């Protein structure tokens, strides 16, 4: 692994302490995410990934949607810890929303019936690759982020609020900002137990 790639790989962590005081411009963030969207691979080069980047007030709006959605279903006496967690995401600068366009997935299922069952799986795998690339690329820019999953609870309101196509399925949310706290220690299982090499 090249030194730069290895460093970026290790720099990416789940960073839950984030602020609005980011070290790079919005234009740079857009550029980095655009490159990730363009160059991350997908099955059959289907390019089924769709991404929405929310900055500032739009980002705030998302986390208010999440809060008000959860308020309706989380028992009132547990809600303050949920609210605190959501406030920590809201205190970031922006959020990346990852979608997969089901119209593309269904089109491939029709076109290549033999692989029908594989396309939804490959779509999710491709999305995971893109999430990783965006997360790591932001980390390399000095931006902290964590991966969240409030879908499918928020899907309808998200699509309505930002007028997104019905075929876009929400997969994950990545709130990001300037890191305000170091991520905690991380336990690693021995790589020897997880990796087999035959020569
Ligand atoms: C597919 C996937 C789903 C995850 N979902 C969540 C999530 O819903 N909420 C969360 O806080 N972290 C989530 N994480 C983050 C993991 O908990 C985290 O990556 C793992 O503990 C390793 O820590 P690190 O990210 O600091 O290296 C997810 C990670 C992956 C790869």
């Amino acid at each position: 692994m090249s030194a730069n790639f290895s460093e970026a790989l290790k720099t990416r962590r789940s960073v839950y302490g984030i602020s609005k005081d980011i070290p790079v411009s919005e234009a740079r963030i857009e550029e980095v995410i655009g490159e990730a969207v363009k160059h991350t691979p997908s099955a059959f080069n289907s390019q089924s990934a769709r991404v929405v980047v929310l900055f500032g007030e739009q980002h705030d709006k998302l986390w208010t949607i999440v809060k008000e959605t959860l308020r309706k279903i989380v028992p009132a006496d547990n809600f303050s810890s949920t609210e605190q967690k959501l406030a920590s995401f809201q205190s970031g600068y922006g959020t990346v929303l990852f979608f997969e366009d089901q119209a593309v997935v269904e089109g491939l299922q029709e076109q290549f019936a033999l692989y029908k069952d594989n396309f939804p799986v490959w779509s999710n795998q491709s999305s995971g690759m893109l999430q990783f690339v965006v997360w790591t690329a932001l980390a390399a820019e000095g931006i902290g982020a964590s991966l969240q999953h409030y879908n499918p609870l928020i899907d309808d309101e998200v699509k309505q609020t930002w007028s997104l196509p019905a075929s876009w399925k929400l997969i994950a949310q990545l709130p990001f900002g300037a890191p305000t706290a170091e991520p905690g220690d991380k336990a690693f299982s021995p790589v020897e137990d997880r990796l087999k090499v035959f020569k």
Side-chain angles (χ1 to χ4, degrees):
M1 209 179 285
S2 82
N4 283 349
F5 189 74
S6 174
E7 197 184 318
L9 188 59
K10 290 170 194 159
T11 301
R12 185 225 52 81
R13 293 290 314 277
S14 292
V15 178
Y16 295 100
I18 48 175
S19 79
K20 300 192 189 297
D21 200 14
I22 50 167
V24 290
S25 65
E26 287 183 0
R28 177 66 183 154
I29 293 172
E30 276 182 62
E31 184 185 21
V32 161
I33 296 175
E35 268 189 332
V37 169
K38 183 171 177 183
H39 294 290
T40 301
S42 57
F44 282 52
N45 197 26
S46 63
Q47 300 169 67
S48 50
R50 305 288 180 264
V51 167
V52 170
V53 183
L54 302 172
F55 287 133
E57 279 175 24
Q58 303 296 323
H59 156 84
D60 273 356
K61 202 185 280 184
L62 172 78
W63 292 102
T64 303
I65 290 171
V66 178
K67 183 166 71 180
E68 295 314 318
T69 304
L70 290 185
R71 195 192 297 282
K72 291 176 201 150
I73 55 171
V74 174
D77 37 339
N78 289 347
F79 194 65
S80 77
S81 64
T82 300
E83 205 170 7
Q84 251 179 313
K85 187 159 84 166
L86 298 177
S88 74
F89 303 140
Q90 193 154 20
S91 67
Y93 189 89
T95 303
V96 185
L97 302 178
F98 295 91
F99 300 81
E100 283 288 303
D101 191 340
Q102 300 308 296
V104 174
V105 176
E106 286 158 21
L108 286 164
Q109 288 182 302
E110 278 165 31
Q111 207 183 337
F112 303 99
L114 191 61
Y115 301 117
K116 192 172 187 297
D117 297 340
N118 296 86
F119 285 112
V121 177
W122 288 336
S123 156
N124 273 320
Q125 290 176 351
S126 299
S127 177
M129 289 194 184
L130 178 59
Q131 291 163 42
F132 173 75
V133 173
V134 169
W135 193 353
T136 306
L138 290 178
E141 298 292 322
I143 291 175
S146 72
L147 196 60
Q148 303 302 323
H149 298 92
Y150 291 99
N151 47 293
L153 293 171
I154 59 170
D155 293 21
D156 292 344
E157 204 166 343
V158 164
K159 273 186 218 175
Q160 209 179 345
T161 303
W162 288 283
S163 305
L164 304 173
S167 61
W168 290 21
K169 183 180 174 194
L170 184 58
I171 309 286
Q173 304 84 51
L174 190 82
F176 65 84
T180 57
E182 289 290 314
D185 285 343
K186 180 170 162 181
F188 294 96
S189 309
V191 173
E192 311 84 83
D193 295 348
R194 303 174 59 200
L195 171 68
K196 287 188 193 294
V197 179
F198 301 95
K199 313 183 193 192

